[in-house]
Amino acid sequence: GKALRENVFKVVETHVFPGFDPGSLRGDAAILILDRPTAAPPIALAGPADAGLYAGGAALQLAGWGLTGANSVKPPESMRATTMIVQPPTSCAQKTKRFYPEFSSAAQFCALDAPAKKSGGCFGDSGGPGIGQRADGVPVELGIISTGGPFCNPKFPNVLTRVDTV
């Protein structure tokens, strides 16, 4: 159904990451200031201690309001989420080079619905979270959805900005 009025916010300020490069999409991050506080609990942001979660193999929840397929004409009525697997940096560079040769493991990571390759991010999901889990079970935002393969094809990985670098 529709979002409840108390869960709809206006953005009153936008702060784009100072190192954002629109040509390469490195540093693809921003902070949005809302018109009022939210009751939603904050989520931990990845830091240096979370570096191991970027090495590959960690489960990652992607969430967003994006299209459910490249040919969809309208977004879904509710937020959608899917579980993906963080891919090793060398695998990301190899699997993205045809559609995104600018990939940088220092600033980005990628995730894939492995082994099924049936779901992933699409148009409109950009800016949404990639949420992992620390060893103690605490959820942590590892990434910000940035780009993906041609036509939202789930056989290609989604590229996310590393939260620990922004």
Side-chain angles (χ1 to χ4, degrees):
K2 285 185 74 76
L4 299 173
R5 185 168 298 214
E6 61 264 26
N7 293 332
V8 177
F9 296 82
K10 286 191 172 94
V11 174
V12 294
E13 283 180 54
T14 304
H15 299 276
V16 176
F17 179 64
F20 175 53
D21 176 354
S24 70
L25 294 180
R26 290 195 191 111
D28 189 5
I31 292 178
L32 306 178
I33 307 298
L34 305 178
D35 62 345
R36 65 189 191 283
T38 171
I43 186 165
L45 299 177
D50 299 302
L53 293 171
Y54 295 107
L60 186 77
Q61 285 282 318
L62 239 60
W65 294 87
L67 298 180
T68 54
N71 296 323
S72 300
V73 288
K74 58 183 190 177
E77 295 209 0
S78 59
M79 186 169 72
R80 314 244 319 168
T82 189
T83 301
M84 302 180 84
I85 304 296
V86 174
Q87 301 297 296
T90 51
S91 175
C92 289
Q94 184 215 358
K95 290 177 180 171
T96 62
K97 70 181 171 197
R98 284 198 3 237
F99 68 91
Y100 183 64
E102 300 85 358
F103 179 81
S104 163
S105 60
Q108 300 161 312
F109 70 104
C110 78
L112 198 55
D113 174 20
K117 296 184 181 165
K118 291 193 183 311
S119 68
C122 196
F123 309 118
D125 285 324
S126 297
I131 301 170
Q133 199 171 45
R134 292 177 172 151
D136 62 4
V138 171
V140 58
E141 185 170 357
L142 295 175
I144 303 161
I145 302 168
S146 183
T147 191
F151 306 105
C152 307
N153 185 335
K155 291 181 173 41
F156 294 101
N158 283 111
V159 175
L160 295 91
T161 298
R162 285 179 63 143
V163 168
D164 68 341
T165 67
V166 294

